[in-house]
Amino acid sequence: MYQLNNLARQIEKQLPARLVEFMQEAGLVAAAQGQNLYLVGGVVRDLLLGRANLDLDLAVTGNAINLAWRLAGTIPAAKLTPNRHFFTAKLSWENWSVDLATTRSETYARPGALPRVLSASIEEDLFRRDFTINAMAVELIPGRWGEVIDLYGGRDDLEKGLIRILHEDSFIDDATRIWRGLRYEQRLDFKLEPKTLRLLKRDLPMLETISGDRIRHELELALKEELPEKVIRRAANLKVLPEVHPGLKGDDWLARKFEEARQASAPNPPSVELYLALLAYWLTEDQTGKLISYLRLRKSHARTLEESGLLKAELKALAEPALAPSRIYLLLHEYGLPAVTANYLATDSPTIKKHIGLFLTKLRNVKPSLTGRDLAKLGTAPGPQMKEVLRHLLEARLDGKVTSKKGEVEMVEGWKDSIMKSPIFLSLDGRGIKR
Ligand code: CTP
């Protein structure tokens, strides 16, 4: 399978008919303009591996934006997003999305800078890429449909299970490839080829040339892998992870917690946010702050990391075996769900786990049956008094002291009789509500 010279059958078998039809049409249009068109990048690798991948990258030896406009004209409600700086265009319609690019070479003004892009031959376009297994192309114009272009030994490396860069300066040009290499290695159960591994180690300092935004993007991609702990562990062993923050660990604890996170959120995968909170769990408040600002985490993710740390510091209060449910609720309800879930997974105390579990599965959804309107009819004044009555009702519900709406009404009326003098209940006037 890895040594095929023509992928026509694999394309038709593995890709949805609508995408095959689109590529045939694109090949016809490109050929009519005297251009060559190729399928490139990860999808070629995955066609050879027999893995699902619907992210189509097409490369054309002419103007990709013009070709994209021509093709958009043939598809009702197509949306086209051109990028004139990189000669690329994204074409989307219904549930489909295809990236088109002009075949190009890239030069880097300095390590880690975004590349300067010049249109170039397909050979040069493939040579600028990260790894041999990602540097293959498939011809899409009629007459050559399906023919594989493999100039740098991509198929051999697929067969040998190797991740290999194309030239010595690859990681210097773009150190995000260090993270990319680890992702492919762990996802495919491949190995970094020895020289690539040596250069990766040599070029670790180049990670400093990459902005926190781009490192965050790579980290998020790592956390979207099926088994992200494998990538994180490898990154820790190769000293790539400490470049993100020296306090981060990719150890057995993390692997166990990631696995538990998957079990807890099945059938969906856990959110990146939850994985991040577990990864950052043992950082101090100060270290968490530094990580957040280096990676420029979005507000909601930053809040989750901060809250997760705050709750970690309060967990002892949940270790008391005989805690009333209302007390558990009180200790947890102000934290966001991902931060609570991270602590649920992280704690090794069965009691704390049981209490947080009870909150997550039951207590956080408990509400009194009586609404503010009902209480107003019962004579509760809006404002602090109403808030207080609702809080008491919620506590009674949580602790099982009341289980029905009727019981709640009786409770409110009881409070009125027994604590008439309390400033909170002073305005209860005895007008009942319909039961
Ligand atoms: N590429 C590269 N160097 C980078 C990023 C991308 O050479 N730093 C090239 C590779 O040829 C890659 C292609 O651009 O295959 C598309 O990039 P991307 O979509 O990120 O990679 P995929 O291979 O599709 O990866 P994945 O399977 O993880 O989606």
Side-chain angles (χ1 to χ4, degrees), residues 361-385:
T361 54
K362 197 167 150 210
L363 304 182
R364 72 188 177 93
N365 299 316
V366 171
K367 290 199 176 39
S369 296
L370 292 180
T371 62
R373 274 175 90 131
D374 296 332
L375 289 173
K377 284 191 197 158
L378 280 169
T380 312
Q385 184 185 71

Side-chain angles (χ1 to χ4, degrees), residues 317-318 322-334 355 358-359 362-364 366 390-401:
L318 286 154
L323 273 187
S326 60
R327 177 85 186 124
I328 297 172
Y329 181 90
L330 204 69
L331 287 167
L332 293 172
H333 80 284
E334 279 176 354
H355 287 157
L358 183 67
F359 174 81
K362 197 167 150 210
L363 304 182
R364 72 188 177 93
V366 171
L390 279 168
R391 191 176 66 81
H392 279 289
L393 277 179
L394 176 60
E395 275 181 27
R397 271 273 175 190
L398 287 164
D399 293 339
K401 291 182 181 154

Side-chain angles (χ1 to χ4, degrees), residues 160-221:
K160 292 183 197 141
L162 290 176
I163 307 294
R164 184 195 308 265
I165 45 176
L166 276 80
H167 59 84
E168 289 237 345
D169 289 343
S170 190
F171 294 129
I172 298 177
D173 287 346
D174 178 2
T176 65
R177 289 175 174 167
I178 292 179
W179 274 103
R180 293 175 63 83
L182 304 188
R183 273 200 290 126
Y184 295 123
E185 187 196 42
Q186 297 307 311
R187 181 198 302 170
L188 303 174
D189 268 326
F190 278 25
K191 276 276 152 260
L192 286 161
E193 171 275 331
K195 185 171 171 201
T196 299
L197 180 60
R198 184 167 57 72
L199 292 169
L200 182 151
K201 289 177 181 167
R202 180 197 73 181
D203 294 337
L204 280 182
M206 291 298 143
L207 283 165
E208 281 171 28
T209 65
I210 306 295
S211 68
D213 272 320
R214 292 182 69 203
I215 295 290
R216 183 197 60 240
H217 180 66
E218 293 304 322
L219 190 59
E220 287 181 353
L221 288 176

Side-chain angles (χ1 to χ4, degrees), residues 40-46 51-53 55-57 99 104 106 108 125-131 133-136 166 170 174-178 180 183-184 187 214 217-218 221 225:
V40 287
V43 70
V44 178
R45 172 200 71 216
D46 287 337
R51 286 174 71 99
N53 185 344
D55 289 334
L56 294 198
D57 283 313
D99 288 307
R104 65 193 200 237
E106 290 178 348
Y108 295 81
D125 184 282
L126 295 177
F127 188 65
R128 74 174 169 86
R129 292 173 184 269
D130 51 3
F131 303 107
I133 60 167
N134 287 344
M136 293 178 277
L166 276 80
S170 190
D174 178 2
T176 65
R177 289 175 174 167
I178 292 179
R180 293 175 63 83
R183 273 200 290 126
Y184 295 123
R187 181 198 302 170
R214 292 182 69 203
H217 180 66
E218 293 304 322
L221 288 176
E225 291 290 320

